[in-house]
Amino acid sequence: MLKIGDFSKLSQVTVKALRLYDQLGLLKPAHIDHFTGYRYYSANQLPRLNRILALKDLGFSLEQIAKLLEDNLPSDQIRGMLRLKQAELQRLVEEEHTRLLRVEVRLKQIEQDDSMPNYEVVLKKVEPIKVVSIREILPDYPSVGSLYDELLGYLKQQGAKEGSYCAGIWHDPGYKESDVDGEAVLSIESSIQGNERIKIYELPGWETIACLVYNGSYKTINQAYAALVSWIEANGYKIIGPNREVYIIGGNQQDNDTYVTEVQFPVSKA
């Protein structure tokens, strides 16, 4: 029998870790002296300890390891836990590879311009949201402003209050000089009925969007679009749906440098 300190040296596992494994039921001492409270281990326990260490090295939590060490655990359940861990690790590898690519792109930008980029692009998830909407073919992009006036007038008529979300959605696959397929949406906090022109529906969410925040006039927002599309291509993504402009601070003036707009594109890995 080996005292806990000697067993620690033999196994190269700290005394603190051995006590934790005892507490969790992973590796109980072979004997505990009732008078002194000293823990004693047997060399025969080394294989079980090595299995704990091997499973820990695979990334399993101590709680998961306890499950895997159960005597009567079916082999198909063990295989299932290993496959789940395999999928989890694969996802982590892919996420780190994507992060590495973004670092490489950032380095190239700095090397080319000798400065940090003007816009910071982030990836995030967008949840569905209930909106009131008008979608129509517009003569140009600024014409979407009149649709918000119409929406606000309709909400006032219905005695309903708009929410904090205000966005424009552009359904054309690319830029157009005229005949723009545009949609104005406002979130709503109450239930109302729409009509043939004004629709009430749940605006779908997206699992992944690439977005940046643009500060400035709508007349120069094309600079933000160019930067965002370049980032999407450089980082190995593709656009999979209509883009949105979320108007954080906005209005009907086109040339107002105080406006704040978040430009969004739904994306997936190319």
Side-chain angles (χ1 to χ4, degrees):
M1 301 289 282
L2 301 167
K3 287 184 178 180
I4 189 171
D6 296 329
F7 190 71
S8 170
K9 293 176 183 178
L10 178 64
S11 62
Q12 296 187 349
V13 175
T14 66
V15 170
K16 182 179 179 181
L18 290 172
R19 286 175 174 161
L20 178 60
Y21 297 162
D22 177 14
Q23 180 183 346
L24 296 175
L26 294 174
L27 187 71
K28 291 288 187 181
H31 175 70
I32 298 178
D33 190 296
H34 295 293
F35 295 101
T36 63
Y38 290 162
R39 293 174 169 87
Y40 292 90
Y41 291 83
S42 166
N44 294 332
Q45 292 179 287
L46 284 173
R48 182 179 176 89
L49 178 58
N50 286 340
R51 175 162 293 183
I52 293 170
L53 298 177
L55 292 171
K56 187 178 177 184
D57 182 63
L58 292 178
F60 287 103
S61 68
L62 294 180
E63 290 77 11
Q64 291 171 325
I65 292 172
K67 185 72 175 176
L68 285 165
L69 291 177
E70 290 181 6
D71 292 336
N72 298 321
L73 189 66
S75 58
D76 59 341
Q77 192 168 345
I78 295 174
R79 285 195 298 270
M81 292 180 70
L82 287 168
R83 289 195 182 103
L84 285 173
K85 177 54 65 175
Q86 182 183 43
E88 177 187 340
L89 293 174
Q90 183 62 41
R91 177 180 56 79
L92 291 174
V93 168
E94 291 172 356
E95 288 178 355
E96 291 304 312
H97 176 74
T98 301
R99 185 173 286 110
L100 177 61
L101 180 60
R102 291 203 295 268
V103 171
E104 291 173 352
V105 170
R106 176 62 64 91
L107 282 171
K108 289 179 181 178
Q109 289 177 326
I110 294 175
E111 289 169 358
Q112 290 172 358
D113 303 331
D114 197 28
S115 63
M116 293 287 283
N118 293 328
Y119 304 103
E120 295 296 341
V121 178
V122 296
L123 297 171
K124 63 183 182 181
K125 181 178 181 179
V126 171
E127 300 292 344
I129 185 170
K130 186 178 180 182
V131 297
V132 57
S133 155
I134 300 176
R135 176 178 174 179
E136 67 178 16
I137 303 300
L138 302 167
D140 50 35
Y141 291 98
S143 298
V144 74
S146 62
L147 301 184
Y148 295 104
D149 294 335
E150 189 174 345
L151 287 174
L152 289 170
Y154 184 78
L155 291 177
K156 184 177 180 180
Q157 178 187 358
Q158 298 293 316
K161 183 179 179 182
E162 77 274 13
S164 59
Y165 183 84
C166 175
I169 304 175
W170 307 108
H171 295 276
D172 295 307
Y175 175 80
K176 296 179 69 176
E177 292 288 347
S178 60
D179 298 327
V180 180
D181 187 355
E183 181 180 5
V185 301
L186 294 171
S187 61
I188 51 175
E189 299 178 351
S190 56
S191 296
I192 59 172
Q193 295 295 319
N195 54 41
E196 291 184 0
R197 177 169 173 77
I198 297 177
K199 306 301 180 186
I200 312 294
Y201 72 102
E202 185 174 76
L203 183 65
W206 289 103
E207 189 64 30
T208 307
I209 63 162
C211 60
L212 61 76
V213 175
Y214 165 74
N215 294 271
S217 165
Y218 297 144
K219 288 187 174 182
T220 53
I221 199 172
N222 61 306
Q223 300 171 7
Y225 272 94
L228 183 53
V229 171
S230 295
W231 186 96
I232 290 170
E233 294 176 351
N235 285 273
Y237 289 89
K238 62 180 179 180
I239 297 169
I240 58 173
N243 68 288
R244 302 177 185 178
E245 293 175 1
V246 180
Y247 306 116
I248 301 171
I249 300 175
N252 288 330
Q253 301 176 29
Q254 288 299 301
D255 194 8
N256 190 320
D257 291 335
T258 67
Y259 288 165
V260 180
T261 309
E262 184 173 85
V263 182
Q264 302 177 343
F265 278 98
V267 296
S268 66
K269 291 299 291 185

